[in-house]
Amino acid sequence: MSEGVMGYAERNTWAQLIASVGGTAVYFAIVLPQLGGPVDEVDWVWPMVWSLLGAIVGSIVLSILWGIGAGMRDPEEEHRADQRDREIEWFGDRVGQAFMVLGGLAGLILAMVEAHWFWIGNAIFVGFFLSALLGGIARLFAYRKGFQ
C-alpha cells in the first residue's frame, strides 16, 4: 500500500466511526429535548433501537460503497486484512472494551439502586457509544501514528 492510501480495514474503521457518531447524534437529538419532564414520559426505547440498527446498517452500507469506490479507483488494491490490520483491530477492541465494561457497570449499579429504566438503558447505550468511538479513534491513531 502506498503512503497516504487508506486500506480496507482502515476504511471500515472510518465507516463504523461515522455511523456510530451519526446514530448517537440522532438518538440524542430525539431524546434530549424530551428531558424537561418526568423520565416516564420520555420516548427513548424505539429511538434507541432505531439508532442502533441505523448505525449498524449505515456502517455496512458506507463500507460497501466506500469499498466499491476504492476498487474502481485502484483495482489492484488488497481487499483483505493483513497481520498489521488484525493487530490494530485487537488494539482498538482492547481500548473500546474498557468503556463497554464501564457502561455495563454503570447500568448494573443503577439497577441496584433501582434507578428508572431510562437511566439504566442510557448508561449502557453511552458505554456502547464510547466503546465504538474511542476504540475507533484508537484504531485510526494506530493506522496513522503506529502503536508499538
Side-chain angles (χ1 to χ4, degrees):
M1 181 170 31
S2 63
E3 187 71 28
V5 175
M6 196 179 313
Y8 166 77
E10 188 177 0
R11 277 195 316 269
N12 286 341
T13 299
W14 272 108
Q16 292 166 0
L17 198 57
I18 291 167
S20 67
V21 169
T24 303
V26 167
Y27 172 73
F28 283 120
I30 293 170
V31 171
L32 287 180
Q34 301 178 53
L35 283 179
V39 290
D40 286 336
E41 297 175 8
V42 176
D43 182 25
W44 63 277
V45 174
W46 286 109
M48 184 181 289
V49 169
W50 286 114
S51 296
L52 290 169
L53 291 175
I56 292 168
V57 171
S59 171
I60 293 168
V61 169
L62 184 59
S63 179
I64 290 170
L65 293 176
W66 205 337
I68 290 171
M72 291 171 60
R73 191 183 69 226
D74 184 10
E76 302 298 321
E77 180 187 325
E78 182 64 42
H79 297 286
R80 292 181 300 178
D82 60 13
Q83 182 63 29
R84 179 176 179 260
D85 293 326
R86 285 187 284 276
E87 289 176 8
I88 289 173
E89 182 78 19
W90 176 81
F91 171 69
D93 286 348
R94 199 171 68 179
V95 170
Q97 283 176 348
F99 293 93
M100 192 176 305
V101 169
L102 289 175
L105 283 175
L108 189 60
I109 290 168
L110 288 169
M112 288 175 183
V113 298
E114 298 180 5
H116 192 277
W117 297 341
F118 171 82
W119 298 114
I120 297 169
N122 279 281
I124 295 170
F125 180 78
V126 169
F128 285 155
F129 171 67
L130 289 176
S131 173
L133 178 70
L134 298 173
I137 289 171
R139 281 187 208 102
L140 293 176
F141 184 82
Y143 276 114
R144 294 300 164 172
K145 302 291 183 188
F147 65 102
Q148 294 179 350

